[in-house]
Amino acid sequence: MKPKPKIILYNPLPVSFTMPLALMAIGSSLDRKLYDVVIVDARIEKNPHQMVLENLEGAICFGATILTGSGINDAREITQKVKAVAPRIFTVWGGWHCSLFPLDPLEEENSIDITVQGQGEIIFKELIEAINLKSGLTGIKGISWRESDGKIYKNPPRIMDDIEKLPPIDYSLIDVKKYFKRKGKRQLDYISSVGCFYRCAFCADPHVFKRKFTSISARRMGEEIEVLYKKYNFDDLNFQDETFFTYRDRVIDFAKELIGRRINVNWAATMRADQGDRLTDNEFALLAKSGLRRVLVGVESGTQEMMDWLKKDIKIEQVLATAQKCLTHKIGAQFPVIVGFPGETKEAFTKSLEFAIYLGNLSDFFDIPIFYFKPYPGSDITNMAVEQGFKLPETLDEWDKFDYMGSVSPWMDDDRFRLAENVKFYLRLSQTRRRVLLPFKKVAKLRLQKMWFSLPLEKWLKKTTKKLFS
Ligand code: B12
Ligand code: SF4
């Protein structure tokens, strides 16, 4: 029997990791009776480039998923290797960076043949059929590509597909157990929606998905998750949706599905503060009963003026109301705060830190990460900063080094940075649940209350007695 044409999909090397849902989604859209799909995840495999090269025989397409930031150079290197060994294989880049920059990767890197914009399932299916049948790329919406004469073309975008109509993600495309092992827990990543209706000025979602949203039904989630639960025996379900709680009825029905099907897992998802505020106490109780263990609620700022400028469409009181409901129903929460926005006043900056401290004080089970604003491409604020002269990276190499994780915002001075770092350190210490650190916990709370961070003995102790503070 003739071997099936092979499709190799590659997840490059970002810092931390989740299951490669993007590759699993596009791989699942292909008819596997016709095609073999191999996923190589550089975050999991010891020698991922070699694994790709070993799989090239019989391959017709190599695809990589690209986020802005580190990982771009890794993807570029393996794409060049693929092209050098097998020039006839089509190389495709997709993912958020290629949705934001359809043409730049093609213009700069000859080894990339095609970039994909937006949701990839249907586009990739059409693309693979066109590659296999050699029928040309002109009619495929949502792609940009280089013709054999070297010219680069961009096709019209694809309108958002209703994900209820897409096939379920096939988890057998990856070795799920390997991910459990690397995560150190039996946690399954899952996605139930695409896009978002909102318009936050620091986020690329409104730009990429034009404020549209599509989700799968609670019934379908229940059915799929039950099958996966029986197969993989996970105890933690991690939703990767941008705004999981968009439709209240869907969420409540999903909680009922989990309870009705006796799926005994903890689960975590993103929730906007207005959505949390709208849910009743009874609904929160049901969610807690179904296993909701943590919500991620973007707070971003401590003043209403700043929240309005960020177009969060959320009131500070809604954050407090959501926090209160989480407390009542013993649901953990993450409330990220961002400082270092362009033009942020000293007062707004200080108020954000104070609000972070206030929220952290409410519960040791509330995690309040403090981020420094970074001009991610595709957001209103970034576009504004660029208009005012801020220079974004231009080459793939510069984008690869555009390090978001933990780095300081270009709009933070040294004093603000020191203050924010102190708040981060003492906030964490003030929430410790380790008995041995209780005296330090009390002092940390006092320090935060007074915003007094001189003579940082605790930091020195942390450095010298790593074990005590670990
Ligand atoms: C999981 C996740 C991560 C994971 C990594 C995921 C991975 N694949 O490596 C981790 C935790 C490491 C991570 C890190 C970061 N992330 Co992140 N992350 C997500 C999250 C929550 C889910 C991604 C996901 O799995 N989606 C489900 C799949 C099915 O959808 P998808 O990825 O969009 O893929 C579809 C299409 O894009 C396309 N597609 C994707 N790849 C490919 C490849 C081919 C060949 C084709 C044809 C199509 C295609 O088809 C897919 C199916 O429709 C998204 C938000 C979201 N819901 O999308 C943010 C998101 C992607 N992350 C974002 C950001 C800002 C970051 C960080 C910069 C955050 C930070 N503060 O540090 C870092 C930087 C990572 C880096 N470069 O090192 C931004 C966008 C960033 C950008 N411009 O690339 C998002 C959109 C969140 C947001 N709204 O701001 N992230
Ligand atoms: S930050 Fe969240 S709520 Fe705001 S636009 Fe982005 S995805 Fe939507």
Side-chain angles (χ1 to χ4, degrees):
M1 208 172 72
K2 213 175 141 210
K4 291 183 264 185
K6 206 188 290 174
I7 319 298
I8 308 168
L9 298 176
Y10 186 77
N11 198 118
L13 268 172
V15 221
S16 74
F17 69 97
T18 47
M19 289 174 180
L21 292 174
L23 301 182
M24 292 156 72
I26 58 167
S28 305
S29 73
L30 302 177
D31 184 345
R32 308 273 287 294
K33 287 192 242 51
L34 301 179
Y35 304 103
D36 263 342
V37 178
V38 177
I39 290 185
V40 177
D41 190 337
R43 303 162 303 172
I44 287 282
E45 305 300 338
K46 278 209 183 83
N47 203 338
H49 286 200
Q50 195 183 325
M51 202 170 157
V52 170
L53 298 176
E54 280 167 1
N55 267 293
L56 285 182
E57 193 165 342
I60 57 167
C61 175
F62 167 82
T65 184
I66 313 290
L67 287 181
T68 305
S70 67
I72 289 184
N73 277 349
D74 177 48
R76 183 181 198 174
E77 202 184 303
I78 182 62
T79 310
Q80 287 171 342
K81 286 182 187 168
V82 168
K83 264 292 173 204
V85 176
R88 262 186 240 143
I89 291 182
F90 279 81
T91 52
V92 187
W93 279 22
W96 281 81
H97 193 73
C98 301
S99 299
L100 293 163
F101 300 100
L103 300 176
D104 295 7
L106 292 167
E107 279 162 1
E108 190 186 335
E109 178 52 61
N110 271 330
S111 68
I112 309 166
D113 296 322
I114 301 161
T115 64
V116 168
Q117 286 74 60
Q119 271 174 301
E121 289 89 342
I122 307 277
I123 301 176
F124 197 56
K125 190 168 182 271
E126 291 179 359
L127 199 53
I128 294 300
E129 274 160 21
I131 290 171
N132 202 23
L133 301 173
K134 301 188 176 60
S135 56
L137 305 176
T138 345
I140 304 176
K141 283 190 176 155
I143 65 163
S144 305
W145 88 98
R146 183 184 305 94
E147 254 309 350
S148 44
D149 61 3
K151 275 198 190 133
I152 292 171
Y153 297 88
K154 184 170 180 294
N155 287 355
R158 224 192 130 75
I159 295 164
M160 185 181 255
D161 290 301
D162 174 359
I163 62 167
E164 184 77 7
K165 295 196 178 119
L166 297 177
I169 290 186
D170 179 358
Y171 283 73
S172 74
L173 281 168
I174 58 165
D175 184 345
V176 169
K177 279 199 201 109
K178 261 193 189 171
Y179 286 85
F180 288 166
K181 200 166 166 212
R182 282 296 301 276
K183 282 167 176 261
K185 50 187 164 189
R186 302 185 74 81
Q187 181 188 63
L188 192 95
D189 293 299
Y190 188 90
I191 183 117
S192 76
S193 66
V194 175
C196 170
F197 288 132
Y198 297 88
R199 54 167 192 152
C200 306
F202 53 88
C203 178
D205 201 290
H207 177 77
V208 169
F209 290 116
K210 312 283 181 246
R211 299 185 64 188
K212 290 200 173 74
F213 175 84
T214 169
S215 56
I216 56 175
S217 64
R219 164 60 70 91
R220 173 163 161 187
M221 274 197 271
E223 283 167 6
E224 278 183 19
I225 289 167
E226 184 176 12
V227 172
L228 294 167
Y229 178 64
K230 286 182 177 151
K231 186 165 178 194
Y232 298 114
N233 188 25
F234 55 89
D235 51 26
D236 194 294
L237 186 57
N238 199 20
F239 283 95
Q240 296 293 348
D241 304 38
E242 295 271 54
T243 45
F244 181 80
F245 284 80
T246 297
Y247 294 127
R248 182 216 313 242
D249 290 354
R250 186 181 86 110
V251 175
I252 296 304
D253 289 348
F254 170 64
K256 289 179 184 162
E257 287 281 333
L258 284 181
I259 296 166
R261 292 172 189 269
R262 295 178 198 280
I263 301 173
N264 191 13
V265 293
N266 286 327
W267 59 281
T270 42
M271 172 191 269
R272 282 173 49 92
D274 52 336
Q275 295 164 349
D277 185 32
R278 274 196 296 272
L279 288 166
T280 64
D281 264 312
N282 283 345
E283 287 166 338
F284 254 90
L286 181 81
L287 291 166
K289 188 177 168 203
S290 76
L292 180 60
R293 83 179 147 85
R294 200 189 69 169
V295 288
L296 189 145
V297 185
V299 172
E300 333 306 356
S301 179
T303 66
Q304 194 58 52
E305 291 88 317
M306 209 54 192
M307 280 226 191
D308 295 345
W309 182 73
L310 293 171
K311 301 187 193 146
K312 273 299 288 181
D313 297 333
I314 277 175
K315 300 274 173 240
I316 298 260
E317 297 76 48
Q318 293 174 316
V319 175
L320 295 173
T322 299
Q324 187 50 52
K325 285 178 187 163
C326 289
L327 278 178
T328 309
H329 298 282
K330 298 193 172 55
I331 294 170
Q334 199 177 44
F335 291 108
V337 168
I338 308 177
V339 290
F341 289 109
E344 186 179 41
T345 62
K346 181 89 195 290
E347 197 206 348
F349 167 78
T350 315
K351 285 249 163 74
S352 286
L353 294 183
E354 284 168 1
F355 196 43
I357 296 168
Y358 177 82
L359 289 168
N361 248 326
L362 293 178
S363 165
D364 292 344
F365 293 92
F366 287 175
D367 176 24
I368 324 290
I370 298 172
F371 294 114
Y372 302 117
F373 173 74
K374 277 286 179 170
Y376 303 120
S379 75
D380 286 357
I381 299 180
T382 303
N383 294 344
M384 184 200 77
V386 168
E387 271 167 30
Q388 292 172 359
F390 182 79
K391 238 179 109 25
L392 281 175
E394 280 171 2
T395 64
L396 287 171
D397 185 50
E398 283 167 9
W399 278 118
D400 178 86
K401 296 186 171 60
F402 191 53
D403 170 32
Y404 304 93
M405 295 271 187
S407 58
V408 191
S409 156
W411 294 278
M412 292 270 293
D413 62 29
D414 285 354
D415 283 350
R416 289 190 192 187
F417 176 65
R418 260 195 304 274
L419 184 58
E421 285 296 302
N422 274 323
V423 169
K424 276 179 170 182
F425 177 82
Y426 285 104
L427 196 51
R428 232 170 284 135
L429 192 55
S430 76
Q431 293 181 303
T432 183
R433 277 170 269 151
R434 292 187 55 204
R435 285 174 75 95
V436 61
L437 291 177
L438 285 186
F440 296 105
K441 178 178 173 129
K442 283 195 181 140
V443 176
K445 279 188 187 285
L446 272 175
R447 278 184 178 277
L448 289 166
Q449 203 185 340
K450 306 257 178 250
M451 284 276 197
W452 184 76
F453 304 115
S454 304
L455 304 171
L457 173 73
E458 303 86 338
K459 284 190 173 175
W460 177 78
L461 273 173
K462 187 178 176 190
K463 255 190 213 144
T464 46
T465 58
K466 280 211 171 82
K467 224 174 153 193
L468 178 67
F469 277 80
S470 64

